[in-house]
Amino acid sequence: MKYALICLSLFISSAISANELIIVNSVHQASAKYKAVDLYNYIKSVEPDALLTEGSESMFNDDGSISEDTSGLEVEAYRLLENNGNTPIINVSMENRNERMREIDYSNTLTKTLQLLQKKFQADELKNPALLNEIMNSFFGRRSCMMDSSLAEINSETCVTAFEKNNDAIFNKMTSLLEQTPSLSSELNQWKKIVDFHNERHTALVKNVNEHVCKDTQKTYVLVLGAMHFSEVKRMLSESSCDFSIATYSEA
């Protein structure tokens, strides 16, 4: 009996001490059905001990406050939070994220590579045109969720799956398609830099999140992630060695 009571006591202690991390899927621009106030209201309803965000360093002033020189749905939500309470807002993004993105010409590389692949497709020079169709279809699925979805819908299984498929298309299927087209070897080398950055970004993000949720006890954190990072980062965090529970917007 004494042994059973000790085990029960340890179990209760462990359950009480674990921190909770709630992960929210988001997009950066407002739409008719999703605005900054919606994200703000959700965060306020949870009343977390801290908000963690995968934002660029330009979102913050040197003192950690939200910069007036940046904009976007999440930034506006954080500004509301900052002006209407004392919830700490902590950037858990990789260090020098924007600088790294500029070094590899992230956005232009994505656009130019897609355009080039489409030209190859039209000229019947792709060995696997069906793969390009899969990639492009994933963009249509993502666009639908980004442009006309509420916060709840963005966090629904339908949209989470759409974003996950688009993420796979960009960082896995694009690589395969480029590898199958020998004339695009230089584009493949540049694309691999994008993939490496993507993986390093998630590794750094998870490390930074762990530094917060793996210390102290009985705290609740909300982590706001861009839709293209949600599924992969959630999976990586679930493999953390320290003790904290993970829930999503739809589960919390």
Side-chain angles (χ1 to χ4, degrees):
M1 175 65 78
K2 183 177 180 181
Y3 175 77
L5 289 174
I6 291 173
C7 289
L8 178 61
S9 176
L10 289 172
F11 173 79
I12 293 173
S13 175
S14 175
I16 292 174
S17 65
N19 290 326
E20 180 182 27
L21 177 67
I22 301 172
I23 308 176
V24 180
N25 200 17
S26 185
V27 296
H28 304 317
Q29 298 300 323
S31 68
K33 295 172 69 175
Y34 179 33
K35 303 196 181 297
V37 68
D38 300 320
L39 180 58
Y40 162 74
N41 285 336
Y42 174 74
I43 296 168
K44 288 292 289 183
S45 72
V46 175
E47 297 185 340
D49 293 284
L51 172 70
L52 310 178
T53 181
E54 205 270 338
S56 70
E57 54 266 38
S58 61
M59 284 174 53
F60 298 88
N61 296 315
D62 291 340
D63 63 359
S65 61
I66 300 299
S67 171
E68 291 296 328
D69 298 327
T70 57
S71 60
L73 184 148
E74 288 126 337
V75 174
E76 298 303 327
Y78 302 158
R79 193 170 286 126
L80 284 169
L81 191 65
E82 191 173 65
N83 293 336
N84 294 280
N86 57 359
T87 302
I89 303 171
I90 303 168
N91 187 13
V92 290
S93 183
M94 73 181 297
E95 188 175 358
N96 299 321
R97 189 195 79 176
N98 286 8
E99 182 181 334
R100 290 287 307 281
M101 291 180 77
R102 286 191 294 269
E103 286 176 359
I104 59 177
D105 201 15
Y106 187 92
S107 296
N108 285 335
T109 297
L110 174 60
T111 301
K112 290 178 180 178
T113 304
L114 277 171
Q115 289 174 342
L116 183 56
L117 286 169
Q118 287 175 311
K119 287 181 180 179
K120 293 284 186 182
F121 174 81
Q122 292 165 358
D124 197 24
E125 296 177 0
L126 288 181
K127 289 186 177 180
N128 194 347
L131 190 54
L132 180 60
N133 281 329
E134 288 182 34
I135 292 169
M136 298 311 298
N137 285 336
S138 77
F139 277 91
F140 296 136
R142 183 192 76 171
R143 185 179 185 279
S144 176
C145 284
M146 289 184 67
M147 300 300 292
D148 192 33
S149 298
S150 64
L151 178 57
E153 289 168 337
I154 290 168
N155 283 272
S156 70
E157 183 178 355
T158 298
C159 282
V160 168
T161 300
F163 291 124
E164 190 172 5
K165 285 182 177 179
N166 188 230
N167 186 76
D168 179 59
I170 293 175
F171 298 106
N172 294 318
K173 291 179 179 178
M174 282 278 284
T175 303
S176 296
L177 192 56
L178 290 167
E179 287 174 340
Q180 294 172 30
T181 312
S183 62
L184 298 178
S185 58
S186 61
E187 284 75 14
L188 173 61
N189 290 334
Q190 182 64 21
W191 194 256
K192 286 181 177 178
K193 296 178 183 179
I194 298 286
V195 176
D196 288 344
F197 166 76
H198 174 76
N199 294 333
E200 291 169 15
R201 179 177 178 176
H202 283 179
T203 299
L205 168 61
V206 169
K207 176 180 178 292
N208 292 337
V209 171
N210 278 329
E211 288 180 359
H212 293 281
V213 299
C214 290
K215 65 181 181 181
D216 301 322
T217 56
Q218 295 179 267
K219 288 191 174 182
T220 298
Y221 298 87
V222 168
L223 169 64
V224 177
L225 288 175
M228 294 294 289
H229 311 288
F230 179 84
S231 294
E232 190 173 343
V233 169
K234 178 175 176 285
R235 176 190 60 77
M236 293 172 69
L237 285 167
S238 71
E239 298 170 354
S240 297
S241 58
C242 63
D243 181 28
F244 62 92
S245 64
I246 295 178
T248 62
Y249 171 96
S250 57
E251 297 167 341

